[in-house]
């Protein structure tokens, strides 16, 4: 084996250890990746409201480069590379990288970056330690995921309105805040009427938003405020993952299970 091949094998082993291994350094590395995800997602959420689009090109390039390196590292250690880009989250990361590094994406279509918020689900795939934060995230995983879905849905719909209407003559949408305001009032079926859209797409978009508001959005909100009747606790005997929140024994095998809860009112 050549020196170059040995170095590549060493790099591969190191990356697998960091992304999938156990121990202090891998966990610290993955916590760092998670913190980076949260920071960049927060930036993507607030950046439409900060100044003129395109003011922070240098920050876009830095974030895009880091995400690209992370994506390349995960692709390099993937056991089946042909299936790597069949996963939605990997496709989403590739789209985000393009939107960060390609100048023609830097204005109206920058909303594509918000889909990276779905990567917060990464937190639940590696937090296996017994820290209070890890336990809290695992216990409230479903609620957190549904909250993220609601936020992503709101911002994507708002961005679609912004991208379609901001440069149109006669449109009341002058900035991203106007688009966000219009989307929220449409989704909640309030419809104050102080902001209107123009063109045939200005009629189709509100129809789509209101239909989704009556179906998807309201269901997401209901799921968010209504606690689930199932808890994800693995049975140590048969491996069944979902149990009733007040379960004492596994329904499948009868093994005693320990479900964390805050008590029940009777």
């Amino acid at each position: 084996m050549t020196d170059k091949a040995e170095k590549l094998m060493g790099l591969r082993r190191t990356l697998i250890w960091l992304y999938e291994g156990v121990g202090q350094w891998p966990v610290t590395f993955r916590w760092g990746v998670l913190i980076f995800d949260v920071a960049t997602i927060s930036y993507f959420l607030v950046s439409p409201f900060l100044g003129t689009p395109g003011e922070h090109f240098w920050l876009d390039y830095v974030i895009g480069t880091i995400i690209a390196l992370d994506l390349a590292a995960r692709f390099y250690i993937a056991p089946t590379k042909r299936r790597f880009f069949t996963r939605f989250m990997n496709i989403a990361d590739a789209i985000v990288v393009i939107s960060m590094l390609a100048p023609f994406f830097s204005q109206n279509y920058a909303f594509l970056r918000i889909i990276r918020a779905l990567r917060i689900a990464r937190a639940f795939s590696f937090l296996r330690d017994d820290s209070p934060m890890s336990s809290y995230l695992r216990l409230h995983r479903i609620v957190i995921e549904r909250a993220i879905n609601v936020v992503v849905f709101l911002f994507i719909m708002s961005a679609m309105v912004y991208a379609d209407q901001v440069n149109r003559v006669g449109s009341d949408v002058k900035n991203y805040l106007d688009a966000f305001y219009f989307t929220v009032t449409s989704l909640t079926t309030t419809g104050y009427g102080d902001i209107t859209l123009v063109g045939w797409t200005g009629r189709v978009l509100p129809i789509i938003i209101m239909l989704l508001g009556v179906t998807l959005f309201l269901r997401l909100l209901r799921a968010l405020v209504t606690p689930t009747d199932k808890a994800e606790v693995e049975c140590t005997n048969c491996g069944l993952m979902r149990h009733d929140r007040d379960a004492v024994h596994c329904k499948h095998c009868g093994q005693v299970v320990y479900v964390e809860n805050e008590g029940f009112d009777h």
Side-chain angles (χ1 to χ4, degrees):
M1 182 179 296
T2 64
D3 291 341
K4 183 178 181 180
E6 289 180 356
K7 290 180 180 179
L8 290 176
M9 288 298 296
L11 175 62
R12 180 181 175 83
R13 286 194 295 267
T14 301
L15 290 175
I16 292 175
W17 176 62
L18 289 174
Y19 278 93
E20 302 175 4
V22 295
Q24 179 180 357
W25 283 107
V27 171
T28 302
F29 171 79
R30 293 193 292 263
W31 266 109
V33 173
L34 176 61
I35 293 171
F36 172 78
D37 284 347
V38 173
T40 54
I41 290 165
S42 301
Y43 168 69
F44 294 157
L45 289 174
V46 302
S47 59
F49 305 100
L50 301 177
T52 305
E55 279 187 355
H56 310 97
F57 273 149
W58 66 271
L59 185 56
D60 289 353
Y61 291 144
V62 171
I63 295 175
T65 301
I66 296 175
I67 296 175
L69 291 174
D70 172 60
L71 183 65
R74 289 185 285 110
F75 177 76
Y76 182 60
I77 64 175
T80 54
K81 292 181 172 53
R82 287 183 298 178
R83 297 182 181 179
F84 183 79
F85 285 108
T86 61
R87 298 182 58 186
F88 174 77
M89 294 313 306
N90 296 331
I91 297 174
D93 274 353
I95 293 174
V96 171
V97 169
I98 295 173
S99 73
M100 301 298 289
L101 301 181
F104 57 87
F105 273 106
S106 298
Q107 296 185 8
N108 288 4
Y109 296 97
F111 70 89
L112 292 171
R113 303 168 185 177
I114 198 57
I115 62 178
R116 197 164 202 266
L118 299 175
R119 287 206 62 83
I120 291 297
R122 165 189 289 181
F124 314 113
S125 65
F126 72 80
L127 296 180
R128 304 185 184 95
D129 58 315
D130 296 326
S131 66
M133 178 62 71
S134 301
S135 301
Y136 178 85
L137 290 175
R138 286 196 299 269
L139 185 62
H140 299 87
R141 182 180 67 83
I142 295 177
V143 173
I144 294 173
E145 286 181 348
R146 289 171 179 171
I148 292 171
N149 289 336
V150 170
V151 172
V152 172
F153 179 74
L154 270 175
F155 275 84
I156 287 181
M157 296 304 300
S158 301
M160 290 178 64
V161 172
Y162 173 80
D164 179 70
Q165 294 289 313
V166 69
N167 294 321
R168 290 207 173 190
V169 178
S171 173
D172 293 327
V173 177
K174 306 302 181 184
N175 50 54
Y176 192 89
L177 183 59
D178 290 341
F180 189 80
Y181 170 77
F182 175 84
T183 302
V184 172
T185 56
S186 297
L187 286 173
T188 56
T189 64
T190 303
Y192 292 114
D194 51 341
I195 292 182
T196 57
L197 309 186
V198 297
W200 70 270
T201 53
R203 300 183 187 279
V204 172
L205 278 174
I207 292 174
I208 296 174
I209 292 172
M210 285 184 286
L211 288 176
L212 291 176
V214 174
T215 55
L216 176 62
F217 183 72
L218 292 182
R219 288 185 180 183
L220 286 174
L221 278 182
R222 182 178 180 183
L224 181 63
V225 299
T226 304
T228 178
D229 59 347
K230 297 291 183 180
E232 293 198 8
V233 177
E234 183 177 2
C235 174
T236 57
N237 185 44
C238 69
L240 184 67
M241 284 297 300
R242 296 178 64 83
H243 298 84
D244 292 334
R245 285 162 27 104
D246 58 349
V248 178
H249 297 88
C250 175
K251 286 185 174 181
H252 185 262
C253 67
Q255 176 76 13
V256 175
V257 293
Y258 300 93
V259 180
E260 295 184 43
N261 60 70
E262 299 176 356
F264 302 94
D265 297 327
H266 297 285

